[in-house]
Amino acid sequence: MALYRTWLFIPGSEEKKIAKAGQLDADVILFDLEDAVAVQEKEVARERVKAALLAQAIRRHGANERANEPHYFVRVNPPDTPFFRDDVEAVAKLGITGVVLPKVEENEHVYVLEHLLDQWEADAGTRQPPIEIVPLIETARGLYHAYELAKASKRIRRLLFGSVDYALDIRATLTKQGHELLYARSHLVVASRAAGLEPPIDSVFLDVHDSAGLTEETRLARQLGFQGKLIIHPKQIAPVHDAFAPTSEERAEAESVIAAYEQSVAAGGGVILLDGKMIDLPVVERARKTLDTARSMERRKA
Ligand code: COA
Ligand code: MG
């Protein structure tokens, strides 16, 4: 099971931060060419990201491939900007897993990118697997169309949530409890599932110094059905990984649920009570998922 818990933004213009990418333990390195980069820096940032991707592609082909290599994604500028096409052309060839498409609101936005990637992949000969498109939902229109957007291309495997732009768009006040985001978060989880995608990825937590707040928000995202979180600082990697890991209590409970149910089935029974709580098939299924997730995370650490 591939893990997509932490998506670390690295501004494409910042050489020092880009140079760190290869040593960080995030599941995804997300180079940004969009809002973290000033307009006058767009070309320089594109060249820096290109060079970094090329270097890591060469390194990966070398003998010392690192275990737990992160996936590389790039957030390009939106299709209605003069930078979009050059951004995509610059990075598509360099071993990235996918392109993050910001401010997606209509299927047409996805089609424009899909067309470019189809063209490039056809020119280059087949490439397995195809480059993913990851729509970033960060406006009311985008959220409203989330289900259609999720189905707009076979390249889409999951959606990202951008809460800062979204709150600005709907004129909500961003708070740490996040009540104002609950509807959007749950809508994205349901739209993703209904469209047959993987669970979505939650938005950034802006207060880099508030580790407890980050943990709380990540636990909420997990509780709602997200599989990961966008992050902005290396300090945020460990708390997010921890918050997505099943706790030792959850693991112990899952193990006793499975054991009790198997015992009941072996004795010719079915649904039973364990410590006053009903256990039937979906409960067992959830317990198995909890243990699978715990094992994948243990393996990733090893
Ligand atoms: N990626 C890689 N390295 C990072 C990093 C990131 N996103 N954020 C910080 N670092 C590095 C710094 O370079 C610094 O390295 P050093 O110790 O060798 O000097 C170290 O981590 C500590 O950084 P710190 O001084 O705490 O932060 P900062 O002031 O350098 O940067 C931010 C703070 C918020 C500007 C920075 O974290 C950042 O650029 N985040 C991403 C922003 C972004 O892409 N936003 C767009 C999407 S919302
Ligand atoms: Mg944004």
Side-chain angles (χ1 to χ4, degrees):
M1 181 172 124
L3 297 171
Y4 291 92
R5 298 160 300 179
T6 40
W7 295 57
L8 176 65
F9 268 116
I10 302 190
S13 47
E14 301 214 16
E15 234 161 352
K16 212 178 114 198
K17 287 174 185 153
I18 292 174
K20 294 220 160 75
Q23 302 138 38
L24 297 169
D25 193 27
D27 294 332
V28 172
I29 295 294
L30 175 48
F31 290 128
D32 189 22
L33 300 176
E34 199 218 9
D35 282 355
V37 176
V39 173
Q40 65 276 11
E41 296 261 278
K42 294 289 185 190
E43 276 80 20
V44 175
R46 191 188 297 132
E47 289 311 311
R48 286 185 178 152
V49 168
K50 238 171 102 171
L53 288 173
L54 190 61
Q56 73 80 23
I58 291 169
R59 191 171 49 75
R60 265 205 245 199
H61 280 103
N64 301 324
E65 184 170 344
R66 203 183 103 186
N68 301 333
E69 194 73 45
H71 297 275
Y72 285 83
F73 285 72
V74 176
R75 178 166 77 169
V76 297
N77 288 284
D80 61 354
T81 64
F83 313 111
F84 170 73
R85 180 176 269 271
D86 290 340
D87 287 351
V88 176
E89 279 173 4
V91 301
K93 305 165 191 177
L94 297 172
I96 53 170
T97 303
V99 174
V100 171
L101 192 59
K103 304 195 175 76
V104 179
E105 301 193 310
E106 311 284 345
N107 282 13
E108 281 63 32
H109 298 160
V110 174
Y111 300 153
V112 175
L113 176 56
E114 177 163 61
H115 182 68
L116 277 182
L117 295 175
D118 283 352
Q119 243 179 358
W120 179 74
E121 282 174 358
D123 290 348
T126 49
R127 176 190 183 281
Q128 286 293 328
I131 296 170
E132 291 175 27
I133 295 176
V134 196
L136 177 53
I137 308 293
E138 49 185 343
T139 63
R141 281 179 76 79
L143 187 71
Y144 194 78
H145 293 145
Y147 173 74
E148 281 78 29
L149 288 168
K151 290 175 83 80
S153 164
K154 285 204 178 67
R155 294 177 185 271
I156 298 175
R157 293 183 52 184
R158 53 192 92 74
L159 304 176
L160 304 187
F161 179 41
S163 65
V164 180
D165 278 293
Y166 170 74
L168 187 69
D169 189 41
I170 65 162
R171 303 189 193 184
T173 308
L174 270 184
T175 65
K176 279 199 176 164
Q177 305 106 326
H179 293 162
E180 66 286 355
L181 302 177
L182 187 55
Y183 167 71
R185 283 186 166 130
S186 290
H187 185 90
L188 287 177
V189 170
V190 174
S192 297
R193 181 67 189 141
L197 299 191
E198 289 179 19
I201 309 300
D202 193 33
S203 50
V204 295
F205 182 78
L206 296 174
D207 188 345
V208 166
H209 299 302
D210 181 6
S211 175
L214 172 65
T215 295
E216 200 172 321
E217 188 171 284
T218 309
R219 284 260 162 211
L220 172 67
R222 174 178 175 242
Q223 182 188 337
L224 293 174
F226 284 81
Q227 67 165 319
K229 197 160 174 61
L230 290 160
I231 56 171
I232 51 175
H233 194 287
K235 257 171 56 172
Q236 295 184 318
I237 297 172
V240 172
H241 286 179
D242 288 345
F244 272 106
T247 60
S248 46
E249 292 80 28
E250 284 167 335
R251 265 189 282 182
E253 193 188 333
E255 276 160 8
S256 26
V257 161
I258 293 167
Y261 190 76
E262 282 173 356
Q263 217 173 11
S264 163
V265 170
V271 60
I272 45 160
L273 278 182
L274 176 67
D275 301 331
K277 282 184 253 165
M278 188 197 70
I279 299 172
D280 63 354
L281 260 184
V283 177
V284 174
E285 195 53 33
R286 201 187 54 201
R288 291 202 175 110
K289 276 209 169 123
T290 299
L291 294 185
D292 277 356
T293 306
R295 277 187 217 110
S296 302
M297 290 183 187
E298 289 298 321
R299 269 200 299 278
R300 179 73 165 78
K301 258 193 210 163

